[in-house]
Amino acid sequence: MTHTVEKIGGTSMSRLAELRDTLFLPDGKAAYGRVFVVSAFGGITNLLLEHKKTGEAGVYARFANAEDDHGWHEALSRTSEAMIAAHEDVLDHAGDIEQATAFVQERIEGARNCLIDLQRLCSYGHFRLNAHLLHIRELLSGLGEAHSALVATLLLQRSGVNARLVDLTGWRDEGEVTLQERLDRGMAGIDTATEMPIVTGYAQCREGLMREFDRGYSEVTFSRLAAQTGAREAIIHKEFHLSSADPRIVGEDNVKKLGRTNYDVADQMANLGMEAIHPSAAKTLRQAGVPLRVTNAFDPGDPGTLIDDQPAETPGVEIVTGLEVIALEVFEQDMVGVKGYDSSILDILTRHKVRIVSKVSNANTVTHYVDTSLKTLRRVEADLAEKYPQAEINTRKLALVSVVGRDLSGLATLQRGLQAFDRVGIYSVGASQGPRNVDTQFILERADMAKAIKSLHSAYFDDEDKKVALVA
């Protein structure tokens, strides 16, 4: 166990030239014994698939819903231009730029021809486009990671690093392999003591990573590679430190770096959209006994935050965070004493792929706090109304703010949180704390979310002389 497996996200990859001198070449020389798994340059996967936050259609979405060919063709050409612009910003040597540009053009045109052939094939009645869409989504995803991995390899080789490109995307491969086989083949013959592998975040395999993990695939590849190769540590390099709250809300001077936490807290963070690592990737590392470290890629002297399976030595609040949610409330007077309501509601939410953040229930009401679009929720409401025609079904835009820690026992977080809200004039719609004492949740109006996070953070992290003046 002499090596680490390290992942670099898309935003950080776009600042690759800076990382060369801090992350890859600390003290001016290559630091071997490290395997890097890279994401596509920032924004490229959005162009290839769809925008992760706004839903704006990329190549995949335009192809899947195409009424004519022009939309996805133009989107693919725009993506090619963006990929070339990304590596022109990073690479200095004309030969490297020429090689990277030729790589992009070859892959993009190969994908274009594939999509054209698929459209032609599906013009015959025996073939259905829907049966191939997942494969197309994976094909397009792999373009971004293959490009960024090549560019990183070229940049490092030009700087004297013995970097090796490990392309797991399966481009033009024949036959199918499992993820384990793909990783074994990719790493075969590599000596991490003298080489620096640059590995694509997407790995083509029989299991189909996107079927289960969608855009969380790069962290799954990263975690499986760390577990499979027996890494002594898995490291995720972000463009910020994991801290006690969003510094944009509470101020950069007020947040505290976590420093140490465990996988339980990481799961709570992921549930609230403050994802340190995909839950499935965390499970792989946890079961393999590989600790995870999250660092700031641009603060190389700081050890970051270590995440393992150890409990806290003493109780304490570690994070205050929040998420916009929609409350889906199903009320039926005759629900009391009757079994099956809850499971039926869950079946409908699952069918529409609605993510449940939290839930509460009483004798005749079940309320789920969900993270989904209003369009999807309307379909859910229609199915619920058909299933329970006598029920009252209501939705409401709210926010869920949570206090999280490895051990909150004895801290009266629920009581202190409500007192903090009272001091700044916030009304809590609901609040709850489970017996495991890892999180306390407050439901409130969306407009109060930032104010609530700020007041809770002040209550738990400010010095005692500051607590008397909670900032509204």
Side-chain angles (χ1 to χ4, degrees):
M1 292 171 55
T2 58
H3 70 282
T4 58
V5 175
E6 310 184 27
K7 179 182 178 297
I8 307 175
T11 304
S12 298
M13 282 298 294
S14 295
R15 298 169 63 183
L16 188 59
E18 296 176 54
L19 294 181
R20 172 186 54 192
D21 302 324
T22 57
L23 186 61
F24 296 102
L25 290 163
D27 303 320
K29 54 186 178 181
Y32 293 108
R34 309 164 78 192
V35 179
F36 286 93
V37 178
V38 299
S39 296
F41 288 112
I44 297 300
T45 306
N46 287 338
L47 292 173
L48 287 165
L49 302 180
E50 67 283 317
H51 198 287
K52 192 173 184 179
K53 293 183 178 179
T54 67
E56 181 181 354
V59 178
Y60 169 81
R62 291 179 184 275
F63 179 80
N65 302 305
E67 296 181 0
D68 58 64
D69 292 344
H70 299 296
W72 72 262
H73 273 289
E74 293 171 357
L76 194 58
S77 296
R78 284 196 299 272
T79 304
S80 176
E81 293 170 0
M83 292 169 75
I84 292 171
H87 68 241
E88 286 179 342
D89 284 343
V90 170
L91 299 173
D92 298 323
H93 193 277
D96 294 341
I97 294 173
E98 182 179 351
Q99 185 175 341
T101 299
F103 180 89
V104 169
Q105 292 171 340
E106 189 267 334
R107 293 281 174 118
I108 288 289
E109 293 312 308
R112 191 190 305 274
N113 291 333
C114 177
L115 297 185
I116 290 171
D117 290 343
L118 184 58
Q119 277 189 328
R120 186 181 299 117
L121 179 67
C122 291
S123 66
Y124 295 90
H126 292 79
F127 302 93
R128 294 288 180 268
L129 182 61
N130 287 343
H132 303 281
L133 286 179
L134 184 60
H135 297 299
I136 292 300
R137 189 170 178 84
E138 297 214 1
L139 171 73
L140 292 170
S141 293
L143 297 179
E145 272 82 9
H147 170 240
S148 62
L150 172 73
V151 173
T153 302
L154 292 173
L155 180 74
L156 293 173
Q157 289 175 344
R158 185 65 58 181
S159 303
V161 180
N162 188 20
R164 185 197 286 201
L165 171 64
V166 180
D167 187 350
L168 303 177
T169 64
W171 183 256
R172 296 189 181 278
D173 274 8
E174 296 181 3
E176 286 190 329
V177 296
T178 65
L179 179 57
Q180 179 174 338
E181 291 170 334
R182 178 70 68 190
L183 296 175
D184 284 342
R185 290 183 184 183
M187 296 300 293
I190 293 177
D191 179 5
T192 57
T194 58
E195 295 179 277
M196 187 178 291
I198 308 298
V199 186
T200 58
Y202 169 73
Q204 191 277 333
C205 58
R206 183 181 301 154
E207 297 93 323
L209 293 184
M210 297 199 77
R211 180 181 294 108
E212 183 174 355
F213 308 110
D214 199 49
R215 289 174 68 165
Y217 58 81
S218 62
E219 291 190 356
V220 174
T221 301
F222 154 76
S223 63
R224 284 288 296 272
L225 186 61
Q228 203 163 307
T229 60
R232 61 179 169 82
E233 197 168 78
I235 304 173
I236 294 180
H237 299 287
K238 294 182 177 290
E239 64 275 12
F240 51 81
H241 282 298
L242 285 186
S243 57
S244 55
D246 187 338
R248 294 170 298 182
I249 295 177
V250 305
E252 290 189 12
D253 295 336
N254 296 321
V255 296
K256 316 289 184 183
K257 189 188 74 175
L258 289 191
R260 183 77 180 266
T261 191
N262 63 15
Y263 284 116
D264 197 348
V265 169
D267 288 342
Q268 310 309 320
M269 293 167 63
N271 189 48
L272 291 166
M274 189 179 178
E275 192 169 290
I277 185 172
H278 191 284
S280 295
K283 177 182 177 181
T284 297
L285 294 175
R286 186 178 68 249
Q287 291 180 341
V290 178
L292 171 68
R293 189 177 299 276
V294 180
T295 73
N296 184 334
F298 305 97
D299 187 6
D302 194 292
T305 295
L306 181 66
I307 302 175
D308 55 23
D309 60 357
Q310 297 302 304
E313 294 181 1
T314 57
V317 173
E318 298 177 24
I319 306 163
V320 178
T321 186
L323 179 71
E324 292 185 348
V325 295
I326 302 175
L328 173 65
E329 182 184 86
V330 180
F331 163 77
E332 186 165 353
Q333 197 75 61
D334 297 331
M335 186 185 299
V336 59
V338 179
K339 297 180 179 180
Y341 278 90
D342 201 11
S343 61
S344 297
I345 296 170
L346 284 173
D347 286 343
I348 292 171
L349 290 171
T350 301
R351 186 165 66 248
H352 289 282
K353 299 180 179 180
V354 173
R355 192 172 78 85
I356 302 168
V357 180
S358 186
K359 63 173 276 190
V360 293
S361 62
N362 59 25
N364 51 27
T365 308
V366 178
T367 304
H368 288 88
Y369 299 106
V370 300
D371 177 21
T372 189
S373 67
L374 285 173
K375 182 179 180 181
T376 300
L377 206 58
R378 294 292 172 256
R379 298 193 187 107
V380 171
E381 288 182 274
D383 285 359
L384 287 171
E386 183 178 354
K387 179 74 176 179
Y388 301 115
Q390 304 304 316
E392 292 182 18
I393 303 167
N394 297 299
T395 59
R396 182 177 176 184
K397 292 182 179 180
L398 294 169
L400 187 153
V401 173
S402 187
V403 175
V404 183
R406 285 170 286 177
D407 182 5
L408 302 180
S409 60
L411 300 180
T413 50
L414 186 61
Q415 179 182 353
R416 291 174 64 188
L418 292 173
Q419 289 173 344
F421 288 167
D422 185 60
R423 285 192 286 267
V424 296
I426 294 175
Y427 169 71
S428 182
V429 176
S432 63
Q433 180 173 330
R436 288 194 61 246
N437 287 311
V438 294
D439 72 324
T440 301
Q441 298 180 349
F442 301 92
I443 305 297
L444 37 88
E445 300 295 340
R446 281 194 181 183
D448 290 330
M449 186 170 78
K451 186 178 179 181
I453 291 173
K454 202 171 184 179
S455 63
L456 288 172
H457 192 271
S458 181
Y460 292 112
F461 292 97
D462 281 6
D463 296 333
E464 289 299 322
D465 58 342
K466 296 180 181 178
K467 289 181 182 177
V468 294
L470 294 175
V471 181

